[in-house]
Amino acid sequence: REIDYLRISLIDQCNLRCVYCMPLAGIASTPPPERLTADEIGLVARAAAEIGFRKIRLTGGEPTLRPDLLDIVRAVTASGVSDIALTTNGIRLPELARALVDAGLRRVNVHLDTLDPARLARIMRGATLADIWRGILAAEEAGLRPIKLNAVVARGFNDEDVAVLAGPTLERAWHVRFVETMPLGIGEPARVAREAYVSNAETRARIEAALGP
C-alpha cells in the first residue's frame, strides 16, 4: 500500500493519567530544549511533502500543551501537506479550536473512553466528561469534521460501554474507533493494559448485539 501518512509527536507530557497509559506520578519527560521546534517540525513536514506524504497527524502526549501549537500547525500548513490532523483529549479545544482551524488544521481525533461520567473519571484520571464533551462540540462548531473519537477498551473499566459510545454515530457524522490496549512501559499502566485486554472482535460483537451489524 502507499505510505503517505506521517505522525509527528510534539510532546510526551499529558494533563491526564489514563490507567493504561500514564502513572499517577507522571513520567520523566523530555526537556523543552530537546523537543523539535516549530521551525524544525516545519522542515520535517516539507521534506515529507516533497517525497509524497499528503497527511500529517500531530500527536503527543497531549499536543495542546505545547504553547507554540499554533505556530507548529502554521509551519506544517506552509509545507504544502494537504491534510493536517490532531490527536487530543479535547480539554483545551474550546479555547483553541477556532484558532487551530485558522492556522490550517482540518481534523481532530478526540480521546473518549466512555460516556459514563463516573467511569470516565476512574479511567481518564484528571478528566471530566463535561470538559471533553465541550471540546468535541467546539471542534465540530469550528469546522473540524468529521469528528473522530478514539476509545481504548479495557476489561472491567469500559468494555460494557462500547455500544453506548458507538450510539452517537447513528445520529451524528462522527466516527468512533475502538483501540486494543498495548502493554507498553512498566508498572501500573502496563499491568492494566495487559490484564484488561479486550479484543476488537469482542468489542465488535458487543456493538452488533446492541445496535445491529
Side-chain angles (χ1 to χ4, degrees):
R1 65 189 177 92
E2 183 181 6
I3 306 299
D4 65 351
Y5 176 25
L6 180 69
R7 291 173 177 262
I8 301 177
S9 178
L10 305 186
I11 191 169
D12 52 5
Q13 293 174 321
C14 186
N15 48 357
L16 302 185
R17 298 289 183 267
C18 297
V19 293
Y20 44 74
C21 180
M22 183 82 74
L24 279 173
I27 60 171
S29 59
T30 304
E34 296 184 19
R35 298 174 189 154
L36 290 173
T37 65
D39 287 342
E40 289 168 338
I41 291 168
L43 178 62
V44 170
R46 289 195 300 275
E50 288 173 1
I51 61 172
F53 283 83
R54 296 194 296 270
K55 303 176 185 178
I56 288 182
R57 176 171 297 282
L58 304 175
T59 71
E62 175 48 47
T64 61
L65 297 182
R66 282 283 298 247
D68 56 348
L69 179 59
L70 294 177
D71 292 333
I72 291 170
V73 174
R74 292 186 192 103
V76 175
T77 299
S79 74
V81 172
S82 58
D83 188 351
I84 306 169
L86 179 78
T87 297
T88 174
N89 58 39
I91 291 173
R92 298 198 64 213
L93 285 180
E95 62 192 274
L96 288 174
R98 175 55 60 186
L100 286 167
V101 170
D102 292 343
L105 191 71
R106 292 294 169 260
R107 294 183 294 111
V108 289
N109 285 39
V110 180
H111 178 193
L112 178 65
D113 284 335
T114 178
L115 295 180
D116 182 277
R119 281 197 283 275
L120 186 139
R122 179 185 175 217
I123 302 167
M124 301 176 66
R125 298 174 297 196
T128 69
L129 178 60
D131 286 342
I132 296 174
W133 200 257
R134 278 193 291 269
I136 294 168
L137 297 182
E140 187 174 50
E141 176 67 23
L144 292 167
R145 301 176 182 173
I147 297 292
K148 296 186 177 182
L149 306 180
N150 291 348
V152 177
V153 184
R155 193 175 310 283
F157 289 92
N158 66 337
D159 52 315
E160 297 183 359
D161 298 346
V162 294
V164 174
L165 192 52
T169 66
L170 300 177
E171 302 173 354
R172 299 173 181 263
W174 292 1
H175 304 175
V176 181
R177 305 183 323 163
F178 298 94
V179 182
E180 296 174 336
T181 56
M182 295 178 288
L184 304 176
I186 60 174
E188 180 200 22
R191 179 188 61 77
V192 170
R194 182 176 59 252
E195 296 177 0
Y197 171 81
V198 178
S199 72
N200 282 338
E202 181 178 337
T203 294
R204 177 171 178 165
R206 280 185 182 272
I207 294 169
E208 290 190 336
L211 303 179

